[in-house]
Amino acid sequence: MAKKTSRFVCQNCGAVFPRWAGKCETCGEWNTIIEEESPSLSMPKATGGQGGRKIEFVSLDGVPETSFRLKSGISEFDRVCGGGLVAGSVLLIGGDPGIGKSTVLLQVTGALSKVCNAVGKPVRCVYISGEESVDQVRLRAARLGLASAKVDLASATNVRDIIATLDTGEAPDVVVIDSIQTMFSDALDSAPGTVGQVRACGNELIRLAKRRGFALFLVGHVTKEGTLAGPRVLEHMVDTVLYFEGDRGHHFRILRGVKNRFGATDEIGVFEMTDKGLCEVPNPSALFLAERRGNISGSCVYAGIEGSRPMLVEIQALAGLSSGGSPRRAVVGWDSARLAMVLAVLEARCGIKMSDKDVYLNVAGGIRLTEPAADLAVAAALLSSMSQIPVPADMVVFGEIGLSGEVRAVPQPSLRLKEAAKLGFSRALIPPARVNKKSVKESDTGLKLNEIGHLKTLLDMFGMIENKRES
Ligand code: TYD
Ligand code: MG
């Protein structure tokens, strides 16, 4: 029998220590290290090369065995997966509890069960829930209009049972494990949800998926507390990592690809949560701008790119004199470090005093922006809020701001401008073209282009003057 040894594992980052400590040295979290029994299962003994089989090397130019991709027909989902599911691939879907992971996977399996696989047979989907009873899943399916979908449903948590079931008979095409934190392997003593269990269960299921050639979805909750292990330990084992994000106060949900061995990352799919489940949002810009009121100060439309798609969103800013103490900085939907940088540049390079002001920044619609290209739009919204002069309602803005206040070029300007023209905008505030690069022509985009080289130029637009720096 395998000798069991004790080890101490951080439940936040998965780092292993020989003894207990209050703080994890790797991730800096407190009270996340717990003792686990570690059988040799997760640490195979070194074999020293004896008794191994010789492996065959091949050239790079072979044709892959299958290039077939299973498409669910839910195009927002298929695009994030890189154009459909590849047989034997493993996808991890992370996200806060209650954000809609089970819902989207039930809808995807429901849709997949109506299409055919590579050999022309109807796709067989298996949905194993460790969180909800069969009746609960059935109720949800009825609500989603999927009660008659041919999905094999089970409620189980023991990985040994699951593997035994999936390993007999004809292999399914798609398997959903909801969620990996509720699964347990009886080879380990630790509780379900601990890093050791998540890693061991993930490992066994992934091996089976590769061997039997089915696409495997693993659902993983992300919690800030150390009680449930984050699915981070699985990220390097799986082929694709998707994050389902969104603001509970908004209906929009974004499925974001952060790693994909079979397609582009940073691709996003936009959904809206309705009483009949998640609906695709094929044209997010129109929806994000739907509630915009023209000609109010402190608002600016940013032309961004998310994945391969252009997307227009409204950035709102409010800057007011602070009532004393350290000024408040509240950011929703953007990086607060990036806002601090824009504020510092405005103060140091344009002489606009920001250090005595409370600043609130909001990206309307609940989407989270990741590009630095939003810098210029943020600066414009801030200056507009301070000067009470609105950014023209028919203008879009994009550009990155450097530390000396210069406005820098960003990728794919023409894609952004085309989207703006499509949505009825007629002007754009953009960075100057890169040296040796062809600039975007006004005639190509149908927009009046206003190139801006330095943040100081932006002050004129709002009737503000550069103050001399106070020393
Ligand atoms: P769920 O998929 O259970 O979240 P997760 O699996 O990520 O924990 O989503 C649950 C939330 O979605 C819940 O708050 C209710 C809401 N919801 C709807 O608004 N409409 C629907 O049709 C469904 C099925 C869920
Ligand atoms: Mg769920």
Side-chain angles (χ1 to χ4, degrees):
M1 183 167 160
K3 183 175 162 264
K4 287 191 177 179
T5 48
S6 215
R7 57 182 191 163
F8 296 84
V9 183
C10 171
Q11 300 300 298
N12 185 53
C13 67
V16 181
F17 301 96
R19 65 189 74 81
W20 188 85
K23 182 184 180 188
C24 173
E25 288 295 328
T26 314
C27 66
E29 287 289 321
W30 286 89
N31 290 331
T32 53
I33 298 178
I34 66 161
E35 184 173 5
E36 278 182 11
E37 297 285 347
S38 62
S40 50
L41 172 98
S42 49
M43 287 273 176
K45 258 192 235 140
T47 53
Q50 288 161 13
R53 268 184 302 142
K54 188 169 172 281
I55 49 173
E56 295 292 331
F57 294 106
V58 294
S59 69
L60 282 175
D61 62 356
V63 184
E65 236 173 62
T66 56
S67 49
F68 182 81
R69 283 176 185 259
L70 269 181
K71 286 200 176 67
S72 68
I74 303 176
S75 60
E76 293 293 303
F77 184 86
D78 292 340
R79 198 187 45 249
V80 179
C81 297
L85 301 175
V86 178
S89 65
V90 182
L91 300 93
L92 176 67
I93 297 202
D96 291 334
I99 205 76
K101 301 180 294 294
S102 308
T103 307
V104 76
L105 287 179
L106 197 58
Q107 286 184 276
V108 166
T109 43
L112 279 169
S113 65
K114 296 198 182 87
V115 299
C116 290
N117 61 14
V119 291
K121 281 193 183 167
V123 169
R124 187 176 152 231
C125 295
V126 172
Y127 189 104
I128 299 174
S129 178
E131 295 193 337
E132 291 160 304
S133 67
V134 166
D135 284 333
Q136 279 174 304
V137 182
R138 278 187 181 147
L139 265 176
R140 174 175 309 165
R143 192 161 151 194
L144 299 172
L146 294 169
S148 58
K150 295 218 170 349
V151 175
D152 291 345
L153 175 64
S155 178
T157 51
N158 190 336
V159 168
R160 191 189 295 271
D161 299 345
I162 294 172
I163 288 184
T165 313
L166 296 177
D167 213 1
T168 46
E170 202 176 328
D173 296 289
V174 178
V175 174
V176 175
I177 301 287
D178 186 4
S179 66
I180 189 68
Q181 275 110 349
T182 53
M183 298 295 142
F184 75 96
S185 158
D186 47 23
L188 295 185
D189 287 339
S190 46
T194 52
V195 170
Q197 284 284 6
V198 167
R199 200 188 335 235
C201 297
N203 230 332
E204 294 200 34
L205 289 164
I206 290 167
R207 270 214 305 263
L208 184 74
K210 301 276 171 215
R211 186 157 55 80
R212 301 223 74 194
F214 56 78
L216 173 66
F217 286 102
L218 299 174
V219 174
H221 292 297
V222 193
T223 56
K224 294 223 168 63
E225 303 81 43
T227 43
L228 274 187
R232 299 243 137 182
V233 287
L234 289 176
E235 277 187 1
H236 68 277
M237 299 204 271
V238 300
D239 302 307
T240 302
V241 179
L242 308 175
Y243 271 92
F244 209 34
E245 47 186 54
D247 198 34
R248 291 272 186 93
H250 289 94
H251 295 154
F252 303 116
R253 298 285 182 268
I254 314 280
L255 190 64
R256 190 184 293 274
V258 291
K259 163 182 172 179
N260 195 349
R261 288 187 185 147
F262 302 108
T265 49
D266 292 330
E267 200 64 82
I268 68 165
V270 184
F271 297 90
E272 189 180 0
M273 184 62 101
T274 67
D275 57 348
K276 292 197 175 55
L278 292 154
C279 295
E280 290 181 73
V281 178
N283 186 357
S285 305
L287 209 63
F288 286 138
L289 295 182
E291 286 179 48
R292 189 172 68 104
R293 313 229 152 70
N295 276 330
I296 48 163
S297 60
S299 153
C300 177
V301 176
Y302 159 61
I305 303 258
E306 289 291 336
S308 60
R309 234 177 2 171
M311 198 170 290
L312 303 192
V313 280
E314 182 190 356
I315 292 182
Q316 302 169 332
L318 180 65
L321 216 53
S322 175
S323 54
S326 54
R328 246 185 97 78
R329 304 281 143 93
V331 191
V332 178
W334 206 45
D335 184 7
S336 49
R338 203 79 208 166
L339 173 68
M341 195 210 82
V342 172
L343 294 176
V345 172
L346 278 172
E347 177 141 354
R349 306 294 179 191
C350 306
I352 305 290
K353 196 156 173 59
M354 302 303 300
S355 51
D356 59 349
K357 298 202 174 58
D358 286 341
V359 174
Y360 302 88
L361 191 80
N362 179 38
V363 178
I367 186 171
R368 190 170 56 79
L369 300 179
T370 50
E371 278 189 304
D375 293 353
L376 191 60
V378 168
L382 277 168
L383 293 177
S384 160
S385 157
M386 289 163 71
S387 66
Q388 307 274 319
I389 296 177
V391 178
D394 60 348
M395 177 182 265
V396 294
V397 180
F398 60 84
E400 186 180 335
I401 295 174
L403 284 182
S404 61
E406 82 278 19
V407 179
R408 299 169 151 249
V410 298
Q412 297 180 288
S414 41
L415 200 60
R416 299 169 199 261
L417 293 169
K418 274 192 197 125
E419 176 82 356
K422 208 164 78 188
L423 283 150
F425 288 85
S426 51
R427 282 190 268 178
L429 196 62
I430 62 170
R434 282 197 184 113
V435 189
N436 296 334
K437 274 252 177 156
K438 222 172 49 193
S439 62
V440 198
K441 286 208 199 81
E442 286 195 352
S443 51
D444 293 349
T445 59
L447 270 83
K448 185 168 176 354
L449 303 179
N450 211 337
E451 291 191 1
I452 162 170
H454 195 278
L455 213 46
K456 279 180 193 164
T457 328
L458 198 62
L459 299 185
D460 302 339
M461 197 171 123
F462 298 102
M464 298 170 96
I465 35 169
E466 183 191 351
N467 294 321
K468 285 276 166 289
R469 269 191 80 184
E470 295 159 30
S471 55

